[in-house]
């Protein structure tokens, strides 16, 4: 533990935390302002999944061409605005979210720099591994939500009709809420391997227990997927629960590798 952490008073830590929070707030606001100014580029990214030339749809079309000849499935979904100030408010919210997302590496760095002096060297290494891998997995989950889960959900539900006489007019607020909810939910879900690894490292979790309760975990995953999905259709439920099941299986493998490493370090490798 550093001397600075040992000699600093509570008020010193409070002043340092206040300074860090001020720095990260300023950086997040500046990034948000930049995103707000570049409105066209910002919403080109946000609204990209509503067009049939989105990269995910192109990939699916190419995969479909491998098995059968396709001519492409064009679709059109119109977004509408239903509130006087709603577009401006959504613009501000979206810019703020992008600002926080862009500033997140700096935010994590400042927070880790604040707590690291109070940690021992081995604790600092573990904390760095957990924070780094957790952030990486969260960003991967957000990308999976944006590139896969949301486009498939939007294309299916946005073009679904009970009758040709009933056209779909999706509100911008509904579009943005669904997009953000799915991306954040997938980011949190992708923390599963990191949490499993950390618990296994601490000795609170083992692969045998995870295998034993695999069926229970699948039921729990379906319940969680039903809660976090913004819609009640089976398609979205499966689209969200399938990656969660794969992550659970991957977590079992990761926990098993952690157990083997711990056995080697302690000399308890079975003959």
């Amino acid at each position: 533990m550093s001397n600075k952490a040992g000699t600093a008073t509570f008020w010193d830590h409070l002043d340092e935390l206040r300074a860090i929070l001020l720095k990260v707030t300023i950086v997040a606001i500046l990034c948000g302002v930049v995103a707000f100014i570049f409105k066209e580029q910002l919403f080109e990214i946000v609204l990209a999944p509503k067009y049939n030339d989105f990269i995910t749809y192109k990939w699916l079309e190419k995969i479909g061409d491998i098995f059968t000849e396709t001519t492409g499935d064009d679709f059109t979904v119109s977004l509408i605005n239903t509130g006087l100030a709603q577009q401006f408010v959504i613009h501000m919210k979206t810019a703020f979210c992008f600002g926080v997302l862009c500033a997140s590496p700096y935010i994590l760095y400042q927070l880790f720099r604040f707590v690291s002096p109070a940690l021992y060297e081995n604790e600092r290494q573990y904390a760095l591994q957990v924070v780094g891998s957790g952030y990486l997995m969260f960003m991967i989950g957000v990308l999976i939500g944006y590139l896969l889960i949301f486009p498939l959900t939007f294309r299916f539900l946005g073009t679904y009709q009970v009758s040709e006489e009933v056209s779909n007019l999706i509100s911008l607020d509904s579009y943005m809420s669904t997009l953000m909810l799915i991306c954040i939910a997938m980011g949190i879900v992708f923390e599963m391997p990191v949490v499993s690894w950390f618990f296994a490292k601490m000795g609170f979790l083992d692969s045998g227990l995870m295998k034993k309760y695999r069926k229970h975990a699948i039921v729990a995953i379906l319940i969680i997927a039903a809660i976090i999905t913004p819609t009640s259709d089976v398609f979205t439920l499966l689209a969200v629960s399938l990656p969660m099941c794969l992550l659970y299986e991957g977590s079992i493998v990761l926990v098993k590798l952690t157990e083997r490493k711990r056995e080697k370090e302690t000399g308890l490798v079975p003959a």
Side-chain angles (χ1 to χ4, degrees), residues 122-134 137 190-207 210 247-248 250-262 265:
N122 61 333
E123 295 175 335
R124 192 177 296 116
Q125 291 178 357
Y126 282 139
L128 185 60
Q129 291 176 355
V130 171
V131 173
S133 56
M137 292 302 295
F190 267 68
E191 296 297 322
M192 188 187 304
V194 178
V195 175
S196 299
W197 170 81
F198 181 74
F199 283 164
K201 198 78 173 178
M202 296 295 103
F204 300 144
L205 186 65
D206 62 83
S207 58
M210 296 182 72
L247 285 171
Y248 185 82
S251 299
I252 294 177
V253 176
L254 186 61
V255 170
K256 185 64 178 178
L257 293 175
T258 305
E259 290 172 349
R260 290 179 179 177
K261 183 178 179 181
R262 186 170 64 244
E265 291 175 349

Side-chain angles (χ1 to χ4, degrees), residues 66-81:
I66 297 176
F67 302 99
T68 180
E69 184 177 353
T70 60
T71 58
D73 184 18
D74 294 343
F75 71 98
T76 302
V77 178
S78 299
L79 295 182
I80 61 172
N81 178 56

Side-chain angles (χ1 to χ4, degrees), residues 47 78-82 86 90 150 153-154 157-158 169-182 230-231:
L47 299 179
S78 299
L79 295 182
I80 61 172
N81 178 56
T82 57
Q86 198 169 50
I90 289 175
F150 177 75
T153 302
F154 178 77
L157 297 180
L169 293 175
I170 312 300
S171 70
L172 179 61
D173 182 61
S174 175
Y175 178 94
M176 294 299 302
S177 299
T178 304
L179 173 61
M180 290 184 180
L181 181 59
I182 287 180
T231 57

Side-chain angles (χ1 to χ4, degrees), residues 17-239:
L17 179 60
R18 186 185 297 112
I20 289 175
L21 292 177
L22 180 61
K23 290 179 182 178
V24 300
T25 301
I26 292 174
V27 171
I29 291 175
L30 289 177
C31 292
V33 169
V34 172
F36 186 87
I37 293 173
F38 290 93
K39 181 180 68 173
E40 298 296 331
Q41 292 79 0
L42 175 63
F43 281 91
E44 278 182 8
I45 297 173
V46 172
L47 299 179
K50 73 180 288 289
Y51 300 106
N52 60 355
D53 60 348
F54 187 58
I55 185 171
T56 301
Y57 307 140
K58 289 183 177 180
W59 287 348
L60 294 176
E61 185 177 340
K62 289 181 179 179
I63 294 174
D65 289 339
I66 297 176
F67 302 99
T68 180
E69 184 177 353
T70 60
T71 58
D73 184 18
D74 294 343
F75 71 98
T76 302
V77 178
S78 299
L79 295 182
I80 61 172
N81 178 56
T82 57
L84 179 62
Q86 198 169 50
Q87 292 202 53
F88 179 74
V89 172
I90 289 175
H91 183 191
M92 290 187 63
K93 288 181 179 179
T94 306
F96 174 76
C97 290
F98 265 75
V100 173
L101 193 64
C102 293
S104 56
Y106 178 77
I107 295 173
L108 287 178
Y109 166 74
Q110 288 293 342
L111 293 177
F112 182 78
R113 196 168 69 90
F114 174 73
V115 300
S116 60
L119 303 175
Y120 293 103
E121 185 62 30
N122 61 333
E123 295 175 335
R124 192 177 296 116
Q125 291 178 357
Y126 282 139
L128 185 60
Q129 291 176 355
V130 171
V131 173
S133 56
Y135 176 75
L136 178 63
M137 292 302 295
F138 181 84
M139 295 305 296
I140 291 176
V142 171
L143 287 175
I144 293 295
Y146 171 75
L147 292 173
L148 185 62
I149 306 300
F150 177 75
L152 294 179
T153 302
F154 178 77
R155 182 163 183 167
F156 175 76
L157 297 180
T159 58
Y160 185 84
Q161 291 178 282
V162 295
S163 172
E164 292 184 357
E165 297 180 0
V166 182
S167 59
N168 288 326
L169 293 175
I170 312 300
S171 70
L172 179 61
D173 182 61
S174 175
Y175 178 94
M176 294 299 302
S177 299
T178 304
L179 173 61
M180 290 184 180
L181 181 59
I182 287 180
C183 288
I184 293 175
M186 292 307 299
I188 296 174
V189 164
F190 267 68
E191 296 297 322
M192 188 187 304
V194 178
V195 175
S196 299
W197 170 81
F198 181 74
F199 283 164
K201 198 78 173 178
M202 296 295 103
F204 300 144
L205 186 65
D206 62 83
S207 58
L209 185 67
M210 296 182 72
K211 291 178 181 178
K212 179 180 179 181
Y213 291 98
R214 179 185 276 115
K215 294 181 180 179
H216 301 78
I218 293 176
V219 174
I221 285 172
L222 291 174
I223 294 175
I224 294 173
I227 294 174
I228 65 176
T229 48
T231 57
S232 58
D233 63 288
V234 177
F235 180 84
T236 307
L237 177 65
L238 294 177

